[in-house]
Each structure stands twice: as C-alpha cells, then as structure tokens.
C-alpha cells in the first residue's frame, strides 16, 4: 500500500433523528471518528469538495423511495471529489483525484470500482460535482432524452438559477431553442438568468401568480417544461403547454418538507387537449449518456459557451448550513462545501 502521512481525526456528519417537516440542526451531529484504513481494492481520499443536493432530504425519511434512506447514527452520503492519500488498489496512485459518493466527511475509504478518476487540469475539481457531474448530467439527460427536446422548442425551466436549472436553459439555447423562460425566487436571480445565462425571459415567482407570469413571458406557450419545483409551477406549465408538449419531472422541492399530502394540479385534463406528456426521471437511469455528456458539455465549459455558478461554503462544520441553504433556495448554481 502506498500512502502519505495519515491524519489522526476524521470529522463526519451523522443523521441522529428523522426530520419531520423542515429539518432542524438537532436532527444531525458532527462526530469525530478515526480515519479509516483502506482494505484490499480500496483507497483513502481526502475530500476537497462535497456536494449537498435537494434529493438528500428524501433520504432522511424512512419512507420507501428509489434509494435506501440514510441510517440513523451513521455517516451520511453524497457526491464528493478529492485526492487519494493512501491506495491499496491497482491502477490508482497517491495524488490521483477521484469522484465518489462518500461525502459529508473529511476522509473517505472508497472501493476503487465505485470511484471515477477526474482530471483537475481539464476542469476545476468542483465542476465534477456540478456542471460536469451528476447535476450536469441530470440537466442533459432530462432535457434531451426525457423531454425529447428538439430545435425550435420553447422551454420553461423552474428553479432556473439552481445547478440543474441553469444548465438546462443554457443547453436548450445552445441546441437551438426558440425561447427559454426561467423562474427563480429573487429579482437578483432573475437578472442573472437573463444577463449571464442567456435566458430570453425570466420572472420572480414571489412577485405574482406563476400562471400569469408564465403566460406573459411565453405568450405563444411552451413545448417543454423542465420541472424542479412542482406545485403551482407544474400547474402553470400544464396551462401553457402547447400541442404535443412534454414535461420532464426532475424534482419537486416545493413539497419535500410537507407533512400532509399535497394536492396535484387541478388542470390535468388539459393534457388530453394538448396530447401532452409528463414523465419523471432519475439521472441514474441515464449513465449511458455519460461519455457523450462529458465530451459535449465539457467542450462548452472550456470554451465559455456554457457558464456555471457555484455557491461555496468553507469547512465541514458548514455542511449542514449549506444543505439548509439549498432547501431555502439560497444558492446560485451548485451548492458546494470546500473542505
């Protein structure tokens, strides 16, 4: 085994109780533990950046879902990228950089087969958690495959200033959308969408009924709706959907902390008139697009054609605050914690 000098203490976040409604600080604990040693076929990674994402709220619940819940009293998981400081795996050397799924901690032992080598010279390390990572692939697959985007489509994106939404709108523009509209939760974010990301129109959903603001921004209707929010946004999109329109449901952050069942859209019958389609998707079903995604989107990132933003908090002790910030919508682009 090759290694650098190993640290003595590893700080990691544990889930200690399952949140009801909005998560509270007392549902979590920052715990000091021994730094684990890599076994056969494993490596020890010093995490440089860790990701917090809306889907993690679902894993804090015991309810049956598409992925196992976080275990109580155990360290949580999430995307992370870092440097190998000890290797017991063939083909991975100390000093290599890996993308893996053992975030929420400073040091992680990872099976080599569960990690992907990344090149910090090709793109900044943090982008492998965002623009060139899972969130980027989510945008790419959801728009191009699930929503079957085609040149000339008019596209509406909710949560458009977030990591996924901002990339959806830009990919649509780069692929020849006739019009791209975004919604966000502040006037500053609306300005960013139009001036920085090239959206044709955007609105602050807090400034009035979403359905009215969407009709004003897209008087000719929308062909594709990329849903990150659910609720009144989904209902508004159905109301503005054109003939043969498609809705890709990526997330519904507006209902993640609800303690009672949430009513669905009241206008679903309109899908009959429009021959519209709603389809949910998970990025894990689309990893066959990974190579194509990295090649195409990586080129846009390097050329500056695709812009990305990151909201970065520093220190493992701020991991929880970063996660709360995502649920509140504080972030512009990808929320990341730098360790």
């Amino acid at each position: 085994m090759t290694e650098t000098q190993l640290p003595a203490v590893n700080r990691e976040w544990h889930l200690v109780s399952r949140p009801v409604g909005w998560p509270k600080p007392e549902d979590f604990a920052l715990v000091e533990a021994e730094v684990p040693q890599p076994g056969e076929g494993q490596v020890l990674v010093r995490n440089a950046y860790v990701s917090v994402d809306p889907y993690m709220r679902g894993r804090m619940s015991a309810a049956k879902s598409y992925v196992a819940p976080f275990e109580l009293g155990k360290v949580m998981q999430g995307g992370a990228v870092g440097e190998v400081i000890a290797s017991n795996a063939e083909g991975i050397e100390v000093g290599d950089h890996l993308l893996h799924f053992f975030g929420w901690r400073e040091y992680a032992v990872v099976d080599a087969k569960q990690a992907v080598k990344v090149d910090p010279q090709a793109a900044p390390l943090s982008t492998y958690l965002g623009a060139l990572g899972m969130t980027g692939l989510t945008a790419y697959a959801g728009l191009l495959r699930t929503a079957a985007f085609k040149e000339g489509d008019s596209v509406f994106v909710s949560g458009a200033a977030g990591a996924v939404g901002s990339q959806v709108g830009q990919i649509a523009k780069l692929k020849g959308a006739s019009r791209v509209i975004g919604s966000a939760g502040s006037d500053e974010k609306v300005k960013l969408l139009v001036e920085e990301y090239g959206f044709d129109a955007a609105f602050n959903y807090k400034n009035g009924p979403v359905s009215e603001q969407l009709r004003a921004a897209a008087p000719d209707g929308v062909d594709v709706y990329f849903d990150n929010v659910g609720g009144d946004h989904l209902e508004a999109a159905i109301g503005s959907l054109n003939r043969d329109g498609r809705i890709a449901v990526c997330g519904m952050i507006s209902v993640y902390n609800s303690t009672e069942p949430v009513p669905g859209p009241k206008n679903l019958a309109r899908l009959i008139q429009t021959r519209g389609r709603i389809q949910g998707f998970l990025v894990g079903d689309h990893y066959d697009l990974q190579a194509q995604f990295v090649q195409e989107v990586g080129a846009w990132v390097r050329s500056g054609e695709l812009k990305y933003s990151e909201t970065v908090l520093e220190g493992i002790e701020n991991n929880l605050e970063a996660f709360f910030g995502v649920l509140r919508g504080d972030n512009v682009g990808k929320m990341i914690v730098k360790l």
Side-chain angles (χ1 to χ4, degrees):
M1 182 171 75
T2 57
E3 62 181 57
T4 59
Q5 180 153 4
L6 300 185
V9 176
N10 187 22
R11 290 185 295 170
E12 53 188 40
W13 280 99
H14 290 200
L15 182 69
V16 295
S17 61
R18 300 206 180 277
V20 177
W22 279 86
K24 304 180 295 295
E26 51 266 36
D27 294 324
F28 309 85
L30 183 59
V31 175
E32 287 193 353
E34 287 186 10
V35 174
Q37 301 295 314
E40 188 67 32
Q42 295 182 322
V43 297
L44 176 64
V45 178
R46 178 193 290 118
N47 286 334
Y49 296 92
V50 299
S51 177
V52 290
D53 301 281
Y55 79 86
M56 293 173 175
R57 176 61 185 88
R59 294 198 68 187
M60 294 170 188
S61 167
K64 188 174 181 181
S65 185
Y66 59 87
V67 65
F70 292 135
E71 293 184 58
L72 291 179
K74 299 282 183 68
V75 61
M76 294 183 288
Q77 298 174 332
V81 63
E83 182 180 355
V84 175
I85 61 170
S87 177
N88 209 2
E90 191 176 340
I92 298 181
E93 305 294 333
V94 168
D96 285 346
H97 290 83
L98 298 182
L99 173 65
H100 60 88
F101 205 66
F102 295 91
W104 288 85
R105 70 202 82 186
E106 291 176 305
Y107 298 89
V109 162
V110 181
D111 288 339
K113 292 178 181 177
Q114 294 182 319
V116 177
K117 275 190 187 182
V118 296
D119 183 359
Q121 302 303 317
L125 270 182
S126 58
T127 62
Y128 294 104
L129 295 176
L132 296 179
M134 185 177 72
T135 51
L137 181 59
T138 300
Y140 189 85
L143 177 69
L144 301 182
R145 178 175 279 173
T146 306
F149 170 86
K150 59 184 185 296
E151 187 177 353
D153 279 343
S154 172
V155 178
F156 171 44
V157 188
S158 58
V164 174
S166 59
Q167 207 149 332
V168 170
Q170 291 183 84
I171 293 172
K173 289 293 289 183
L174 288 163
K175 290 281 191 179
S178 60
R179 189 167 177 79
V180 175
I181 304 101
S183 72
S186 74
D187 292 341
E188 292 77 16
K189 289 181 179 180
V190 166
K191 185 178 180 183
L192 180 77
L193 290 175
V194 175
E195 295 183 1
E196 179 73 11
Y197 294 144
F199 282 58
D200 296 291
F203 60 85
N204 181 347
Y205 65 83
K206 297 175 182 175
N207 287 348
V210 175
S211 57
E212 293 179 11
Q213 294 196 78
L214 179 57
R215 278 196 296 272
D220 296 323
V222 297
D223 302 299
V224 167
Y225 170 48
F226 194 104
D227 190 16
N228 290 307
V229 173
D232 55 355
H233 282 73
L234 178 56
E235 188 167 295
I238 292 170
S240 285
L241 203 64
N242 289 333
R243 166 77 186 262
D244 298 316
R246 289 89 64 206
I247 295 174
V249 181
C250 175
M252 292 193 173
I253 199 168
S254 69
V255 304
Y256 286 170
N257 294 304
S258 300
T259 56
E260 299 292 332
V262 177
K266 297 189 293 289
N267 57 350
L268 280 174
R270 193 168 185 278
L271 295 174
I272 302 168
Q273 303 164 242
T274 61
R275 291 72 151 178
R277 170 169 63 82
I278 300 179
Q279 183 176 343
F281 75 98
L282 296 173
V283 66
D285 296 333
H286 301 283
Y287 280 123
D288 61 300
L289 292 175
Q290 178 79 24
Q292 175 185 323
F293 156 71
V294 170
Q295 181 179 15
E296 187 167 24
V297 176
W300 288 334
V301 168
R302 287 189 294 274
S303 70
E305 291 174 275
L306 190 143
K307 298 176 174 62
Y308 64 91
S309 296
E310 296 172 339
T311 301
V312 181
L313 272 63
E314 295 206 14
I316 189 71
E317 63 276 7
N318 286 314
N319 230 73
L320 190 58
E321 178 55 30
F323 173 66
F324 289 164
V326 166
L327 295 182
R328 292 190 300 258
D330 294 350
N331 56 302
V332 175
K334 184 77 184 75
M335 179 71 89
I336 294 172
V337 180
K338 181 181 180 181
L339 304 190

